[in-house]
Amino acid sequence: MLLSRGCGILPPSPFADFGQRLPRNSSTISGKKPIYRLGRPRKSSPLSPVSTNTATRRVNMTAQVRVRFAPSPTGALHIGGGHTALFNWLWARHTGGRFILRIEDTDRERSTREYEETILAGMRWLGLDWDEGPDVGGDFGPYRQSERLELYRASASRLVDEGKAYCQDGAVYFRIPAGKTIAWDDVVYGPIEVDGDTLRFDTQNTAPKDLVLLKSDGYPTYNYAVVVDDAGMAINTVIRGEDHIANTPKQILLYEAFGWPVPRFAHLPMILGADKKKLSKRHGATSIYEYRDLGYLPDGAFNFLALLGWSPGDENEICSRREAVELFELSRVTKRAAVFDMQKFAHVNQAHLWRTPPEELVELLRPLWKARGLDPDRFDAAWLARALELLGGRGQTTLEVAEYSDYFLSFDAVTARYDGADLPEETRRSLRPFYAGLLELPTWHHGAMEAYAKQWGEEHGAKMKDLAMPLRWVLTGRKVSPGVFDVAVFLGREEVGRRLGHYRLLPEA
RNA sequence: GGUCCCGUCGUCUAGUGGUCUAGGACACAGCCCUUUCAAGGCUGCGGCACGGGUUCGAACCCCGUCGGGACCGCCA
């Protein structure tokens, strides 16, 4: 007798089970058994063994780790999503496991293919790659929920046939069993126990309310689809935001109703804005792309995101992707929500920025220089690289570096912001002999310039500052720059003469 | 209203009963370097939310209080 027959949205032939597809053993992937710790060793607690009330089946712990990131394509990849994706990726790579990407596009109103592509691009920008997903395929597809509708219907049908679910008002509801205690040992948060009966009522705890599995449009609800998909994709470690802790009991109930092995859960601390509220549009740049456009580097963003809720352990927080993969431990993830601190982000980015080989930096800056109306292609790449080395450490983002280095590429950039009006004619007159002498120095070297400046200053009662600052302004158009003599040496005798001449700081010819 | 989670310098964190007069990083202040600003080095400022208990001993274990957060949808 198939009860599902009376349900319009369910298919006539039920009995969907992923039993055969569930993880057997890790032997399929390279013979070696990955060694890893899942969770820090905890003292025995009254809650463990975790579940006596519920028949919790656990996945085979020696199996290869399979984790997933499952974004909804309803917007660009934001900080929170990037953080979750990053930790999943880190754990997969650390353990030699598989990182699966699944698109949760069951919100028909808001999901678009464009956003999906934007999210994938955002992940690629962060340097995250995945082993299975909508674009690369895999043995557990399809990887878009909108393409898995039959799976949800078939499984729901099975529950209806088994009397664990029922149809009403065109939807399928899961009968939340009474008198259950649901418990799991969260890899990050430790033992969590929930009275299952608290899940059986609506918001005001007045009327009983079961769990909708399939909406009347035939689409699955989130909590249901997640279970069908995670089980079907043989996900054995679910790493996601802490806001999902409250969803976990419902999902465990579904795993149990189906008789599917319950995965390990590892919830990640939330990321908050400076006001300690969940990060949102109000906090400014929230999409990962906004930081890219602000001049942040993928390595910087990666490093900073990794530092939210985790630390490498030693004193140095600046680390490469490789080091992070090596050092990462899920068991070392913290519980407390982390505030997203822009200043620290900028600092971490700066560290990565100036570790980038100058030749690579040149290529990163080329488009930014062009956007500022400069023409880097006119110069030798090696010369530009040396200019950046000269800038050494100044600037926290590529955008800032492009700005701070403009006077190397164009004198127009200098004249546009500095008109020399702060130089009284008298000052000009007294300085002219000095600059004239500078240009005639037998050797065009930093040491020679400095010695000359010192000597000239002593003879004419001028401080080094009085000589150097006007030169800095004339050469760079700024009051801040690398050492002026270094800049002068680098720009060359002729160019320095030209800039001095423009500001009438040389004797009339 | 209910359920759950969290609580170490302003921020990110180390810390799992004695090695903690609590360590590091960002920020801030000062010094060194120096023609400026960075970078770098050094120094300083600053914290175990509170109250009980357990213990010879508690940031760490237990209880309570307070504070913050998440979730309770035919959104994900």
Side-chain angles (χ1 to χ4, degrees), chain A residues 19-28 60 62-64 139-140 234:
Chain A
Q20 311 90 311
R21 313 183 63 185
L22 286 175
R24 297 147 251 201
N25 259 320
S26 57
S27 53
T28 28
N60 181 0
T62 61
Q64 182 185 45
D139 296 337
F140 299 82

Side-chain angles (χ1 to χ4, degrees), chain A residues 422-454:
Chain A
D422 62 325
L423 291 174
E425 192 50 43
E426 194 187 324
T427 305
R428 280 190 160 87
R429 198 161 38 237
S430 61
L431 252 23
R432 273 178 195 128
F434 169 70
Y435 293 127
L438 186 77
L439 286 178
E440 278 156 22
L441 246 25
T443 50
W444 194 244
H445 287 149
H446 180 284
M449 289 182 189
E450 194 168 358
Y452 165 69
K454 275 215 174 79

Side-chain angles (χ1 to χ4, degrees), chain A residues 119-151:
Chain A
I119 288 172
L120 301 208
M123 289 174 68
R124 289 190 200 101
W125 181 76
L126 263 181
L128 308 182
D129 58 337
W130 46 96
D131 307 302
E132 297 169 32
D135 57 334
V136 296
D139 296 337
F140 299 82
Y143 293 91
R144 262 183 217 103
Q145 290 188 327
S146 60
E147 294 164 9
R148 300 172 63 81
L149 266 21
E150 286 315 308
L151 260 14

Side-chain angles (χ1 to χ4, degrees), chain A residues 62 96 113 179 211 224 338 407 409 495 508:
Chain A
T62 61
R113 271 304 169 88
L211 220 191
Y224 172 60
Y407 52 84
L409 312 227
E495 180 65 17
E508 302 301 324

Side-chain angles (χ1 to χ4, degrees), chain A residues 11-122:
Chain A
S13 58
F15 295 109
D17 196 345
F18 302 111
Q20 311 90 311
R21 313 183 63 185
L22 286 175
R24 297 147 251 201
N25 259 320
S26 57
S27 53
T28 28
I29 325 291
S30 75
K32 65 178 173 199
K33 188 165 56 174
I35 304 199
Y36 57 90
R37 289 193 302 145
L38 253 180
R40 73 188 69 189
R42 286 175 203 284
K43 303 206 175 93
S44 62
S45 93
L47 288 176
S48 45
V50 167
S51 179
T52 46
N53 193 358
T54 55
T56 305
R57 274 213 273 151
R58 293 268 178 238
V59 295
N60 181 0
M61 298 293 283
T62 61
Q64 182 185 45
V65 165
R66 286 180 62 82
V67 296
R68 52 47 167 198
F69 175 55
S72 289
T74 54
L77 183 64
H78 53 90
I79 295 300
H83 182 250
T84 302
L86 182 44
F87 277 55
N88 272 282
W89 182 87
L90 237 20
W91 188 235
R93 296 297 170 254
H94 177 75
T95 60
R98 305 269 287 177
F99 179 44
I100 290 97
L101 180 63
R102 177 173 74 229
I103 299 298
E104 309 216 323
D105 56 350
T106 54
D107 184 339
R108 302 165 82 176
E109 304 278 298
R110 300 187 299 149
S111 300
T112 69
R113 271 304 169 88
E114 286 68 38
Y115 280 138
E116 175 183 322
E117 190 41 54
T118 304
I119 288 172
L120 301 208

